[in-house]
Every structure is written in C-alpha cells, then in structure tokens.
Amino acid sequence: MIYPIVKYGAAVLEQGAQLVTEFDDRLRQLVADMFETMYAASGVGLAAPQIGISLQLAVIDVTVGKDPNAKLVLVNPQIIHRQGRQKEEEGCLSLPGFHADVVRPERVTIRALDAAGREYTQTGEELLARALCHEIDHLHGTLFIQHLSALKRDLIRRRIRKRARAGDW
Ligand code: NI
C-alpha cells in the first residue's frame, strides 16, 4: 500500500524514532509498503517518520527502481565512518518544492540491520553517501534544512507558512 507522505510541520518529523525490536511479517510488509511509497513519489530514500511511523527504519534506492540490487533496508542504522566532503543540491519528499545545497561527507560507511534482523555494513559514495546521511538524519528528527544557514532555513520556513495559509501544504 502507498502511504501518504507527512510534510514539514508534523511533529513526527522532528522527533527521534524508536529502535525496531520486532523482525516479523509486519515489519516486512512495512518495508515493502515503504518501497512502494518511495517509488510512487520518485524518491531515492524514505524514512518511516515520513509516513508517520516513529521507527528507526528507512529504505533507499538511488537507482529509483532500475536496479533491484540497489535496494537498501536500514533498520536501526548508525554511521560508523565519514570521509571527505561534497556539496550538492538536496531535497526531501517531506519538503516538496524546496531544494538547497547541503554539505555532506563524500563517503560514509553505515552499520545497520536488514528486515530479517541481520547486521550488515554498507559503504556509499556521492549520491548514496548523501542518501544514507539524509535518511539516518530523519531517524533522529533532523531535516536537511537544519544543515542550512539560519537565513536560508527561515526563508524556506516563511515560504512554507505562506503556502500553508494558501491551503497548498
Ligand atoms: Ni527526506
């Protein structure tokens, strides 16, 4: 099933998410639904808080469905190594219409569990490094606009408030 995506302003997006402790059919169904929701929105990553579920769970596919081997399920993930620096434009399904340059590590290694509860490590560079950082941020209640200057962040917030007043958010 495709979930509605929660937009900026919802409290769940700015809270730390709970650790996943049950690796059951419900979790597997949730993971399948999150991929379906992400692909329907043409996203490269989706975190559970973005569908209103405060769990440390995210899915990533930087090929947007082109390569089945590129699908990543991150349960209770942690970044264990960061290297280098990249600055590229970033967006978020919870902030539709807003993009900004965000500085991220060029290369990161994460440790996480998969949907069956098996631990793995994954190293990503460039877009994958960015997606890993962005999604793991979501699980700690951090959105990409928190990485911008206060000036740029306030500008985006003002534009969102304006859109909300117009019923367009
Ligand atoms: Ni996002």
Side-chain angles (χ1 to χ4, degrees), residues 121-138:
T121 60
Q122 172 77 47
T123 297
E125 295 179 350
E126 301 178 356
L127 178 58
L128 181 55
R130 175 171 298 282
L132 289 166
C133 292
H134 181 112
E135 299 313 323
I136 291 173
D137 265 0
H138 269 300

Side-chain angles (χ1 to χ4, degrees), residues 35 38-39 43-44 60-71:
F35 275 112
M38 179 182 78
Y39 291 137
V44 299
I60 290 176
D61 178 358
V62 294
T63 74
V64 203
K66 289 191 188 80
D67 177 3
N69 296 318
K71 291 170 80 170

Side-chain angles (χ1 to χ4, degrees), residues 17-31:
Q18 302 292 309
L19 288 170
V20 172
T21 54
E22 303 287 334
F23 296 86
D24 53 10
D25 286 346
R26 263 180 68 192
L27 180 69
R28 277 181 283 280
Q29 185 60 51
L30 180 56
V31 167

Side-chain angles (χ1 to χ4, degrees), residues 30-90:
L30 180 56
V31 167
D33 289 344
M34 284 177 62
F35 275 112
E36 196 182 346
T37 301
M38 179 182 78
Y39 291 137
S42 301
V44 299
L46 183 73
Q50 292 183 277
I51 54 166
I53 297 174
S54 194
L55 279 179
Q56 297 228 3
L57 168 65
V59 297
I60 290 176
D61 178 358
V62 294
T63 74
V64 203
K66 289 191 188 80
D67 177 3
N69 296 318
K71 291 170 80 170
L72 284 176
V73 177
L74 281 65
V75 177
N76 305 342
Q78 281 184 300
I79 295 174
I80 56 173
H81 187 71
R82 295 174 170 81
Q83 191 188 322
R85 182 184 186 272
Q86 57 166 318
K87 187 179 182 184
E88 295 291 338
E89 194 172 72
E90 198 165 313

